[in-house]
Amino acid sequence: MSTPTGFMEYKRQIPADRNPLERVKDWEEFHKHLSEEELRTQGARCMDCGTPYCHTGMNMAGSTFGCPVHNLIPEWNNLVYRGLWKEALERLHKTNNFPEFTGRICPAPCEGSCTVGLIGQPVTIKTIEEAIIERGFAEGWVVPEPPEKRTGRRVAVIGSGPAGLACAAQLNKAGHSVTVYERSDRVGGLLTYGIPSMKLEKNIVERRVNLLKAEGIEFITNTEIGKDIPAQQLVDEYDAVVLCGGATKPREFNIEGSKLNGVVYAMDYLNSTIKSYLDSNLEDGNYMSSEGKNVIVIGGGDTGSDCVATSLRHGCKTVTQFGTHDKAPLERDPIANPWPQFPNVYTLDYAQEEAKAIFGSDPREFSIMTTKFVGDENGNLKELHTIQIQRIVDETGRKIYQPIPGTERVFPAELALIAIGFDGPEQTLAQQLGLETDRWTNVKARYGKYNTNVDKVFAAGDMRRGQSLVVWAINEGREAAREVDKYLMGATVLV
């Protein structure tokens, strides 16, 4: 333990964010950083629990608690407290290939499961994690580490998101020759196209990709397997193939008027801005702009919030975010939402904080459902019709949303962004290879084995488990790599 009474002596401290009214003028990262002294003090708050829930990584009642990559959190908290930063980095890299990503974009279920959170505020785990890896880069401790020898085995990884990158990194570490195929023009999957730059600047992704290249991993971009190259060709040419293509098929929103101009899927909107920003700092104009428009974001999750933040940076006239869920309570409900589940409490994330700073109020509307889109005579969206809803349990025991008569409303809108999640992976690879899929259309691959019904073919990440957190993707990529190594060599050197 760092100090036996640290959790009682010191208050939780997180880095301040840049002023919302200033940061909406650019696309740069919005977090500031703690000093070394402040970080060491925060490390002192860790209790080094006998049974640390922070790194359990489990699901309970549909909620993740603890760290899915099983970070050795108490260990590196203690090392930071003692000023042993290089040793802390070594412990962090034992379980997590990319702490510079998770330290920025993970929602930190570890903090929701921190034992200190039972009686006060949890340890600032995510902040310390990011500080460790950035100290490592600054000090020159993070360098390419190619394997000492090659096995002669060749593996193809399809998809360069967090699952694909983690899988490739681990397989390369084992000495296999790894080629990663990416259909976009840049490596990174959702890390590049999907998460806005103010949450994860793309030079951070590029920095890690360059390291992986220097370690011997080959990346092939602008190549869609199943379209540009038949999937079977990879199975024939490689000793193993790992499918890490993600769950990228958007959930359809088929209500009256959904085909009007101005009704757009969130990822199309976000990615058009990200690509234009990376290509030309938005000077080419090749993106869907919300400048001067009334914007409605349908969906209360992270993607919806990213749409809010992007709309603000475009210069929208107004922005409103719809969610079917109730407004969360100010404090954790100990019955419905017990520790160590992630606390479901009312907060403002970065995007909502920005909208409130500009427009004076939280942009979210809770327990609301869109009933139809209405357009003008030219087929352009002009307004949304909604009704308030309540969640009830029907006679079969199902939880359903029931409209509340008399709560109908009309919202002006020239742009509606659909951010209601995904319906699973695209089916091209599954169909070409004859892969079995489950009722959610995810590729069937046994957890703990990751092998599919087709020899040499493995699946991991969102393509196997459905839409999930970036930490689950990294976990799956690492675990799939272990199984591929066993398949190829009879045993694995990977941990």
Side-chain angles (χ1 to χ4, degrees):
M1 185 181 294
S2 301
T3 60
T5 57
F7 67 96
M8 295 188 291
E9 294 177 35
Y10 308 118
K11 300 289 186 183
R12 171 181 165 92
Q13 183 180 4
I14 58 175
D17 292 338
R18 295 166 55 208
N19 186 301
L21 294 176
E22 291 300 318
R23 69 189 192 227
V24 294
K25 299 175 183 177
D26 60 52
W27 300 85
E28 298 173 4
E29 197 169 284
F30 58 86
H31 288 305
K32 295 182 181 179
H33 304 282
L34 297 179
S35 68
E36 179 172 353
E37 181 181 355
E38 289 169 330
L39 288 162
R40 292 179 66 176
T41 298
Q42 292 306 300
R45 297 186 69 241
C46 182
M47 299 172 66
D48 193 15
C49 310
T51 306
Y53 279 80
C54 59
H55 62 63
T56 48
M58 300 176 67
N59 280 324
M60 180 171 66
S63 174
T64 295
F65 70 88
C67 176
V69 295
H70 311 301
N71 276 335
L72 305 172
I73 294 166
E75 296 185 24
W76 43 256
N77 276 337
N78 177 266
L79 291 165
V80 166
Y81 166 72
R82 294 162 58 195
L84 301 175
W85 288 88
K86 190 171 184 179
E87 291 81 356
L89 178 64
E90 291 171 356
R91 301 306 290 172
L92 181 53
H93 265 154
K94 281 184 178 293
T95 55
N96 188 352
N97 300 79
F98 315 122
E100 67 270 34
F101 303 155
T102 55
R104 287 174 166 85
I105 62 175
C106 177
C110 55
E111 295 189 9
S113 303
C114 174
T115 304
V116 179
L118 275 169
I119 48 88
Q121 293 295 308
V123 176
T124 56
I125 299 169
K126 180 177 172 179
T127 296
I128 296 174
E129 178 181 17
E130 182 189 351
I132 293 170
I133 183 62
E134 290 305 323
R135 178 71 173 264
F137 276 110
E139 297 286 352
W141 299 330
V142 185
V143 296
E145 297 180 0
E148 294 182 1
K149 61 180 181 179
R150 293 289 177 182
T151 64
R153 306 293 199 275
R154 300 172 66 238
V155 182
V157 176
I158 301 175
S160 69
L165 291 180
C167 184
Q170 293 297 100
L171 287 169
N172 184 68
K173 183 183 296 185
H176 307 305
S177 297
V178 183
T179 302
V180 179
Y181 290 88
E182 169 57 54
R183 66 180 178 182
S184 297
D185 60 339
R186 291 179 173 87
V187 176
L190 66 82
L191 298 169
T192 297
Y193 290 122
I195 299 173
S197 297
M198 51 275 194
K199 287 174 66 176
L200 178 62
E201 292 194 31
K202 304 314 166 187
N203 64 314
I204 301 297
V205 181
E206 186 177 11
R207 179 178 66 182
R208 178 60 70 171
V209 170
N210 287 338
L211 270 169
L212 296 176
K213 289 179 180 178
E215 291 177 339
I217 298 174
E218 181 183 8
F219 291 92
I220 298 177
T221 57
N222 290 310
T223 302
E224 184 173 354
I225 305 303
K227 180 179 179 182
D228 300 312
I229 298 176
Q232 187 60 46
Q233 182 177 325
L234 294 192
V235 178
D236 294 339
E237 293 180 355
Y238 288 86
D239 297 297
V241 176
V242 190
L243 310 180
C244 298
T248 55
K249 184 181 178 183
R251 186 168 298 149
E252 294 186 359
F253 194 61
N254 291 322
I255 63 171
E256 182 181 343
S258 60
K259 304 303 180 184
L260 288 167
N261 298 324
V263 181
V264 177
Y265 283 112
M267 296 306 296
D268 294 337
Y269 170 76
L270 292 174
N271 288 339
S272 72
T273 292
I274 295 169
K275 179 167 173 53
S276 178
Y277 176 68
L278 293 174
D279 287 348
S280 69
N281 198 29
L282 300 180
E283 292 180 3
D284 60 14
N286 293 330
Y287 63 96
M288 302 177 192
S289 177
S290 54
E291 183 178 1
K293 297 178 180 178
N294 295 295
V295 180
I296 303 291
V297 179
I298 301 175
D302 288 342
T303 300
S305 293
D306 292 340
C307 288
V308 171
T310 299
S311 295
L312 294 172
R313 284 161 175 76
H314 285 173
C316 62
K317 183 178 180 180
T318 65
V319 61
T320 307
Q321 184 178 9
F322 289 174
T324 54
H325 56 286
D326 295 336
K327 186 176 180 178
L330 295 177
E331 297 182 356
R332 182 201 290 266
D333 184 329
I335 303 300
N337 181 214
W339 180 90
Q341 287 184 357
F342 191 80
N344 179 28
V345 295
Y346 177 82
T347 58
L348 292 173
D349 73 5
Y350 82 107
Q352 292 137 16
E353 183 183 39
E354 292 168 355
K356 183 176 181 179
I358 293 172
F359 299 117
S361 63
D362 185 339
R364 289 173 291 184
E365 292 281 343
F366 300 98
S367 300
I368 193 169
M369 181 173 67
T370 304
T371 56
K372 67 177 178 179
F373 300 103
V374 177
D376 61 19
E377 62 277 7
N378 297 315
N380 299 314
L381 178 67
K382 70 173 184 178
E383 62 189 31
L384 277 74
H385 290 225
T386 69
I387 192 167
Q388 297 298 130
I389 54 177
Q390 59 184 348
R391 199 175 188 186
I392 65 169
V393 178
D394 68 11
E395 60 277 4
T396 66
R398 295 182 307 158
K399 294 179 179 178
I400 62 172
Y401 292 110
Q402 183 180 73
I404 303 173
T407 61
E408 296 84 355
R409 298 166 67 187
V410 177
F411 290 81
E414 293 79 46
L415 181 64
L417 303 173
I418 312 303
I420 58 174
F422 300 87
D423 269 340
E426 297 170 33
Q427 296 299 296
T428 303
L429 294 177
Q431 291 170 355
Q432 286 193 9
L433 294 175
L435 299 172
E436 294 179 359
T437 57
D438 62 21
R439 62 191 181 96
W440 298 283
T441 72
N442 302 317
V443 174
K444 277 189 177 181
R446 289 187 296 157
Y447 184 74
K449 295 296 183 183
Y450 298 91
N451 58 301
T452 69
N453 61 298
V454 176
D455 185 42
K456 300 202 300 186
V457 179
F458 297 75
D462 289 0
M463 199 163 191
R464 188 199 73 84
R465 66 178 292 129
Q467 182 187 6
S468 191
L469 303 177
V470 64
V471 275
W472 277 119
I474 294 173
N475 170 277
E476 294 241 332
R478 289 173 61 92
E479 291 296 323
R482 283 174 51 84
E483 295 308 313
V484 173
D485 191 35
K486 287 181 185 178
Y487 171 80
L488 295 174
M489 308 302 291
T492 183
V493 298
L494 298 172
V495 295

